[in-house]
Amino acid sequence: MQYQLEQLYPKKENSIMINELFNDVKDRMNKAMEHNRHEVASIRTGRASASILDGIKVDYYGTLTPINNIAHITVPEGQIIVIQPFDSNTLEIIEKSIIASDIGLTPNNDGNVIRLNIPSLTEERRKELIKMVHNIIEDGRVSIRNIRRDANDHLKKHEKEHELSEDNLKRAMDNIQEMTDDYIKDLNQIEATKEKEIME
């Protein structure tokens, strides 16, 4: 998303202020997106995916470390995840971390690797998961709209203090709306993809 700010806002101080505001809006919207993307990815579907382990950290020599930093994770078939630690001494702590997590899967440790069997989803469970996805994405949309509202309030304040012309205010608000629409479109895409995954 590139906005030609200098052309849009000829006065240099306006351009700098609006540029800083746009960068802040973009940064905050990116963080909101990442949070929602992560939340949705952690929802377990009936298909094995290494991403369900993303939120689990292991106490590795006193440092909380993501599993994929200390083990090789593969999905050899649709319902199984295999975790092969780089250091065999970490097998037990990985197993304990999975049991302690809220992913609801029981690890099967054979002394070399850990296998996670992903049970098929019932129709009822699929509906529950889709509802969870809808709630997460709706929270995401609300966050994005709140960021837009904050930015617009900020711009209106500058216009009120005669630091921004009415035309420039409208133009900046249009640009922020465009950014908002883009992020909400991305959220809708994440929702649709996850829903499809749950229903497969």
Side-chain angles (χ1 to χ4, degrees):
M1 250 177 280
Q2 289 301 315
Y3 301 98
Q4 300 302 313
L5 296 169
E6 280 69 23
Q7 291 164 24
L8 292 176
Y9 311 102
K11 270 179 82 177
K12 195 166 189 292
E13 56 274 21
N14 287 347
S15 176
I16 291 167
M17 181 273 288
I18 290 169
N19 203 359
E20 282 172 1
L21 179 72
F22 280 1
N23 286 337
D24 179 57
V25 166
K26 202 170 183 181
D27 188 47
R28 288 172 65 198
M29 286 186 178
N30 276 333
K31 282 180 182 153
M33 276 295 297
E34 275 318 298
H35 171 75
N36 283 279
R37 190 176 275 122
H38 179 74
E39 290 282 299
V40 169
S42 68
I43 292 177
R44 184 167 63 80
T45 63
R47 193 169 4 120
S49 164
S51 65
I52 65 169
L53 301 171
D54 284 356
I56 304 174
K57 291 193 168 45
V58 175
D59 185 353
Y60 185 60
Y61 298 109
T63 306
L64 284 177
T65 310
I67 292 178
N68 62 359
N69 285 12
I70 60 166
H72 185 57
I73 302 168
T74 54
V75 181
E77 50 192 273
Q79 307 292 118
I80 294 175
I81 297 172
V82 176
I83 303 159
Q84 170 98 54
F86 302 135
D87 170 359
S88 58
N89 296 326
T90 60
L91 207 59
E92 263 184 55
I93 57 164
I94 291 173
E95 183 182 16
K96 283 178 184 164
S97 297
I98 293 168
I99 292 166
S101 78
D102 60 358
I103 63 168
L105 296 173
T106 307
N108 179 357
N109 178 351
D110 69 2
N112 294 310
V113 298
I114 293 170
R115 284 185 179 80
L116 292 174
N117 290 314
I118 312 292
S120 295
L121 296 174
T122 63
E123 195 57 39
E124 195 180 330
R125 184 67 183 137
R126 285 179 207 271
K127 284 176 185 164
E128 279 172 27
L129 292 176
I130 285 173
K131 203 171 170 189
M132 277 168 71
V133 171
H134 283 268
N135 290 341
I136 292 167
I137 296 297
E138 189 47 43
D139 286 349
R141 290 187 197 109
V142 169
S143 298
I144 298 290
R145 289 183 190 123
N146 285 344
I147 295 164
R148 174 192 61 190
R149 189 198 58 221
D150 291 350
N152 287 345
D153 289 350
H154 189 76
L155 288 165
K156 285 174 191 166
K157 182 173 160 265
H158 280 283
E159 193 247 352
K160 211 172 188 176
E161 291 166 2
H162 306 292
E163 292 168 12
L164 199 60
S165 73
E166 208 176 311
D167 282 353
N168 284 347
L169 170 72
K170 187 186 179 315
R171 212 172 287 141
M173 284 173 71
D174 285 348
N175 283 344
I176 284 169
Q177 184 59 52
E178 196 182 317
M179 287 164 84
T180 304
D181 292 344
D182 285 344
Y183 281 99
I184 285 178
K185 198 168 132 195
D186 288 349
L187 281 171
N188 294 343
Q189 186 55 55
I190 291 169
E191 182 178 41
T193 303
K194 191 68 176 187
E195 223 176 284
K196 187 167 174 266
E197 209 179 292
I198 291 168
M199 292 314 291
E200 275 174 1

